Amino acid sequence: MAKIVNTIPNLMTVISLVSLLNLSVAHNDQYYETLSPKKLGLKQEKLTHLHFYFHDIVSGPKPTAVKVAEAKTTNSSSTGFGFVVVIDDPLTEGPERNSKPVGRAQGIYSSASQSDVGLLMVLNYVFTEGNFNGRTLSILGRNAVFSAVRELAVVGGSGLFRFARGYAQARTYFFNTTSGDAVVEYNVYVLHY
């Protein structure tokens, strides 16, 4: 009987070790898989140029850009450092407010510079017309508002814009210094499948 009792702990140790080895082998580098783009139905990449106007309306009864936060020192800062604005701005074919809508710019911008008016912009262009209806492009970058041309990165997208990358060039078309309303022309160059 003593031999059986002594064998049980040794048997348990062997079973435990085998179980641990199986666990470590089962989880070794199993969190990823290298895929062929063709396996996902991806075709040759295309380069698309989009051109539209962004209407940032901060005044009036129905603003499309609303300040939701600011630092204690924002009002005393020459750059407005520390404010945060949430936007749902119209995107149109032309610079006029009543021009044909092509989508919305939805997201956040914030004054992120103490030395000049430099905005951190995190937004999605949500398209509502044409081939890109229902698709989005995700934009991230610094917008030095008073520079003639600013460049922001296209960091992704959805639908036909899956795996998108590229850049967006912004040029101020109109800025009202009293109301703060602005119209910005965008040329977006995006590689996508």
Side-chain angles (χ1 to χ4, degrees):
M1 187 71 157
K3 286 185 179 183
I4 293 176
V5 173
N6 288 336
T7 305
I8 291 176
N10 290 337
L11 184 60
M12 295 302 283
T13 302
V14 169
I15 291 172
S16 296
L17 284 173
V18 169
S19 297
L20 286 173
L21 286 173
N22 284 337
L23 283 175
S24 66
V25 170
H27 293 291
N28 188 21
D29 292 338
Q30 296 300 312
Y31 65 93
Y32 70 89
E33 175 183 6
T34 302
L35 299 173
S36 161
K38 289 179 183 176
K39 187 174 180 179
L40 293 175
L42 300 175
K43 299 173 185 163
Q44 185 175 354
E45 254 183 334
K46 299 172 213 158
L47 175 62
T48 298
H49 171 228
L50 301 160
H51 179 255
F52 50 82
Y53 291 84
F54 171 108
H55 298 262
D56 196 48
I57 305 160
V58 297
S59 67
K62 290 188 176 183
T64 61
V66 178
K67 188 187 291 185
V68 295
E70 64 181 38
K72 289 180 184 179
T73 57
T74 295
N75 291 332
S76 62
S77 166
S78 63
T79 65
F81 179 67
F83 73 73
V84 178
V85 174
V86 175
I87 66 167
D88 185 13
D89 289 345
L91 303 176
T92 61
E93 278 187 353
E96 300 81 21
R97 258 194 189 169
N98 60 355
S99 184
K100 181 181 177 184
V102 297
R104 309 290 293 185
Q106 298 172 333
I108 297 171
Y109 62 78
S110 177
S111 177
S113 176
Q114 293 180 330
S115 59
D116 63 345
V117 181
L119 304 177
L120 166 63
M121 300 192 72
V122 181
L123 49 98
N124 289 310
Y125 298 142
V126 181
F127 297 101
T128 57
E129 286 294 320
N131 290 341
F132 303 119
N133 183 17
R135 283 34 175 215
T136 65
L137 281 176
S138 298
I139 309 298
L140 174 68
R142 183 177 195 274
N143 185 345
V145 175
F146 295 115
S147 294
V149 180
R150 290 89 67 195
E151 189 170 296
L152 306 161
V154 173
V155 296
S158 68
L160 291 174
F161 290 127
R162 270 187 215 124
F163 298 108
R165 65 190 192 285
Y167 65 96
Q169 286 184 328
R171 288 179 173 84
T172 302
Y173 179 83
F174 168 80
F175 178 66
N176 184 320
T177 55
T178 305
S179 70
D181 293 348
V183 178
V184 180
E185 179 182 18
Y186 274 90
N187 280 287
V188 181
Y189 298 88
V190 60
L191 286 165
H192 62 98
Y193 291 98

